[in-house]
Amino acid sequence: MQTAADAGDAAALLAAVPAGRRVALVDPRFVGHVHALRLGLTDPRFAAAAVPGALTALPEARGALLRALQHTTAAVGAGAPVVAPDTDPAPEDRTVPGRIAVALEAEGTAVKRPELGSLTATVPTDAGARAAAESARDEVDDEAVRLRSAVKAHDGFFTTFAISPYSRYIARWCARRGLTPNQVTTASLITALVAAGAAATGTRGGYIAAGILLLVSFVLDCTDGQLARYSLQYSTMGAWLDATFDRAKEYAYYAGLAIGAVRGGDDVWVLALGAMVLQACRHVVDFSFNEANHDAVANTSPTAALSDKLDSVGWTVWARRMIVLPIGERWAMIAVLTALTTPRIVFYALLIGCALAACYTTAGRLLRSLTRRASRTDRAAQALADLADSGPLAQGVAAVAPGLRGAFTAPAVALLGTLVMIGGALFLPYGSWLTVATAAVYVVLSGLAVARPLKGALDWLVPPFFRAAEYVTILVLAARSDVPHAVPAAFGLVSAVAYHHYDTVYRIRGGTGAPPQWLVRTIGGHEGRTALVAVLAAVLTHASGFTTALTALAVAVALVVLVESIRFWVSSSAPAVHDEGELA
């Protein structure tokens, strides 16, 4: 840390700092909490950030910071405003850092200003103001605020009242011992995998141990995010781990339960795969709806207004969060039922609970969409197109087909294609080439559904329909094949494809766009994979080759998407974020 005599000296000192390092400007008169400075000056997610009297810039914003400082040195020294009066900083931030932050924004560099709440951060101009600031600072426990802010603001009932009251202290314990969120995330994954292994034993003792370990894994899952917020350790690797490990843990546990049930003489692989398909489809409904509407223009809805009104009543908030069976409630239910009952009962409860939750949330989103007066942006339409995961076959149809008119045409065509595909898989003779014909119809309808930009009120339903068509078709064909181990192979295939779809979601959320087109083309798109499975079922009817083919396809998809995903998330181009997680 170095002290500058004036603004000009500050510019010279900053220019001398090695280019790859973060720099900060802090007014020497600053009075406030240490955590206020920590929030403003150490968060790696933002290129530039400021609190009253302090400003920081990462290497990518250093050039803009130096230009702004050099251009305004004379004005600051003379006491004149740095920028136009209508954009001048608030009086309490008429310091060099405050003025430079405004100048940076005027230049086009975004400056993050974190919410400080009860924390103090100010630059007093006289002795009286300094005494008042110091008194306000001393009245608030900096560490208590830091611990409270480590907990996610909006979480489920079980997590809020049964986990977070003590997991935040585990997060602080980890921080004081130098542990990182990534290490805790990895520990959570390992614990869940051990739980899955215990469930796979098929013994009552194994089931009890599995339930306990699953809860321990969930505590660690909450702790990693709290540790990241407590110590502001956000990273690209952390974003990737946090975004994918939750699904990996849950689906691995489903597989462990299914293996354990088979050892006990009860084959529940179809139920396990059904639970995974339902959960994945629930998530894509959430993702698609949010991407379609988060930047919509004139985004108003009487249904949304009613929802906001209900959120003002305490008990309705918790009731509505519990209805959707969020991850905390879901994992607690799975853990308790695993320990006390059988895997079949666990999956029945999951399927019933998740189905009811899906009906509730989807009905609410439909009502909001139908009553909302909003214009969707090009960015939202592109996000939905990326989530649709259309491969070369559907893209080829879309390129030559005329865009179908009508407000609800796209989701209607996608729904028709989904019903045709699932209906063919369910009701046509297994192994029939008629199923392949329905797959061809599905390919055509999939292309027609995305032939125009997805900007309609219900166009966010298109990706969920495609997910349901692909996942359910794989499930049904594997279940009807009567080929040994076909359903476990299908479980692996759906897991690999679902990973690709979740990876797409989190890349879009990070602002870096969907996976590259070569990846989508290589793994065939949703319609290509669905058609391929239908062909394999027809060619390899009642033969062990169907299981082998599904396994080979699962391995191929997993290798391609994992290699590309790992390359992306550990690269410098990936966003430094930490996913806050989904309630569901």
Side-chain angles (χ1 to χ4, degrees):
M1 183 175 68
Q2 301 186 59
T3 303
D6 52 33
D9 190 23
L13 290 173
L14 288 177
V17 177
R21 296 177 59 184
R22 175 199 289 269
V23 295
L25 287 171
V26 181
D27 193 293
R29 299 167 296 171
F30 176 87
V31 174
H33 289 98
V34 173
H35 193 52
L37 279 178
R38 187 182 292 114
L39 289 172
L41 302 183
T42 66
D43 196 323
R45 295 173 296 176
F46 311 107
V51 294
L55 169 70
T56 186
L58 289 175
E60 56 264 35
R62 288 247 330 247
L65 172 63
L66 282 173
R67 287 193 301 273
L69 185 55
Q70 291 164 350
H71 291 165
T72 57
T73 295
V76 173
V82 174
V83 294
D86 60 340
T87 60
D88 205 21
E92 63 269 21
D93 203 16
R94 288 183 179 274
T95 60
V96 171
R99 292 173 182 272
I100 297 303
V102 175
L104 276 173
E105 291 178 317
E107 247 187 56
T109 301
V111 178
K112 174 66 177 179
R113 290 179 170 81
E115 293 290 336
L116 298 181
S118 59
L119 296 175
T120 297
T122 187
V123 178
T125 55
D126 56 49
R130 171 170 288 275
E134 290 175 345
S135 176
R137 179 196 61 194
D138 295 341
E139 288 176 0
V140 175
D141 186 339
D142 179 90
E143 181 61 19
V145 173
R146 188 182 181 188
L147 270 176
R148 285 197 304 271
S149 61
V151 177
K152 193 163 57 177
H154 303 288
D155 223 329
F157 181 88
F158 179 77
T159 304
T160 299
F161 295 103
I163 304 297
S164 293
Y166 58 88
S167 62
R168 70 184 75 180
Y169 294 101
I170 299 176
R172 182 172 67 180
W173 182 90
C174 292
R176 290 178 175 177
R177 282 152 184 82
L179 297 176
T180 67
N182 293 351
Q183 291 170 332
V184 177
T185 302
T186 303
S188 175
L189 174 66
I190 293 172
T191 304
L193 294 179
V194 174
T201 63
T203 64
R204 178 53 51 195
Y207 289 149
I208 293 173
I212 294 172
L213 287 170
L214 188 65
L215 288 178
V216 172
S217 175
F218 183 65
V219 171
L220 294 174
D221 183 57
C222 295
T223 301
D224 66 354
Q226 292 166 358
L227 174 58
R229 287 182 287 272
Y230 180 85
S231 57
L232 298 176
Q233 295 183 74
Y234 304 102
S235 67
T236 56
M237 179 65 76
W240 176 62
L241 295 178
D242 195 63
T244 57
F245 278 13
D246 277 354
R247 303 287 78 78
K249 289 181 288 190
E250 188 166 3
Y251 299 157
Y253 192 80
Y254 291 176
L257 280 176
I259 294 171
V262 169
R263 287 188 170 181
D266 186 15
D267 191 340
V268 296
W269 271 109
V270 170
L271 296 179
L273 181 50
M276 182 171 71
V277 168
L278 179 55
Q279 190 60 29
C281 289
R282 282 186 65 197
H283 279 142
V284 78
V285 167
D286 296 339
F287 296 146
S288 294
F289 179 82
N290 292 334
E291 288 303 323
N293 292 286
H294 89 280
D295 59 352
V297 180
N299 196 2
T300 60
S301 166
T303 307
L306 175 61
S307 178
D308 293 340
K309 186 175 181 180
L310 289 174
D311 280 345
S312 65
V313 182
W315 70 269
T316 66
V317 176
W318 297 117
R320 293 169 68 211
R321 291 184 187 178
M322 293 176 69
I323 288 172
V324 302
L325 200 64
I327 188 170
E329 277 76 355
R330 190 167 68 252
W331 281 32
M333 179 185 74
I334 293 171
V336 171
L337 291 179
T338 298
L340 300 179
T341 64
T342 65
R344 180 172 290 273
I345 293 176
V346 173
F347 286 124
Y348 281 154
L350 263 176
L351 288 166
I352 294 171
C354 288
L356 292 175
C359 290
Y360 170 78
T361 55
T362 304
R365 285 165 169 74
L366 285 171
L367 286 174
R368 290 191 184 202
S369 299
L370 292 172
T371 59
R372 175 176 280 134
R373 298 176 180 177
S375 298
R376 270 76 183 184
T377 63
D378 291 337
R379 180 213 169 275
Q382 183 59 53
L384 290 181
D386 293 333
L387 290 174
D389 192 34
S390 298
L393 297 178
Q395 290 176 359
V397 172
V400 300
L404 300 177
R405 301 293 179 180
F408 307 117
T409 303
V413 172
L415 175 60
L416 177 60
T418 298
L419 294 176
V420 167
M421 188 66 253
I422 295 177
L426 272 172
F427 301 115
L428 290 175
Y430 175 78
S432 169
W433 283 95
L434 289 175
T435 306
V436 178
T438 62
V441 174
Y442 174 66
V443 168
V444 173
L445 293 174
S446 298
L448 290 175
V450 296
R452 63 173 178 80
L454 299 175
K455 292 187 175 183
L458 297 180
D459 284 1
W460 56 269
L461 286 169
V462 172
F465 286 149
F466 289 163
R467 292 299 80 74
E470 180 180 5
Y471 296 166
V472 174
T473 297
I474 296 172
L475 166 61
V476 169
L477 291 178
R480 294 187 65 197
S481 69
D482 289 329
V483 175
H485 310 301
V487 179
F491 189 97
L493 176 57
V494 173
S495 298
V497 175
Y499 176 86
H500 163 61
H501 290 144
Y502 282 111
D503 186 51
T504 300
V505 167
Y506 289 109
R507 292 199 200 200
I508 293 172
R509 284 184 167 185
T512 58
Q517 272 299 302
W518 70 260
L519 175 66
V520 177
R521 289 193 297 269
T522 299
I523 61 176
H526 70 92
E527 80 292 349
R529 291 186 298 269
T530 304
L532 177 59
V533 172
V535 171
L536 292 174
V539 173
L540 303 172
T541 305
H542 303 301
S544 60
F546 186 53
T547 297
T548 304
L550 288 179
T551 303
L553 183 57
V555 171
V557 171
L559 284 176
V560 173
V561 299
L562 278 172
V563 169
E564 162 56 22
S565 177
I566 293 171
R567 181 210 62 78
F568 170 79
W569 285 106
V570 301
S571 71
S572 59
S573 62
V577 297
H578 187 86
D579 178 56
E580 290 297 310
E582 300 298 321
L583 277 182

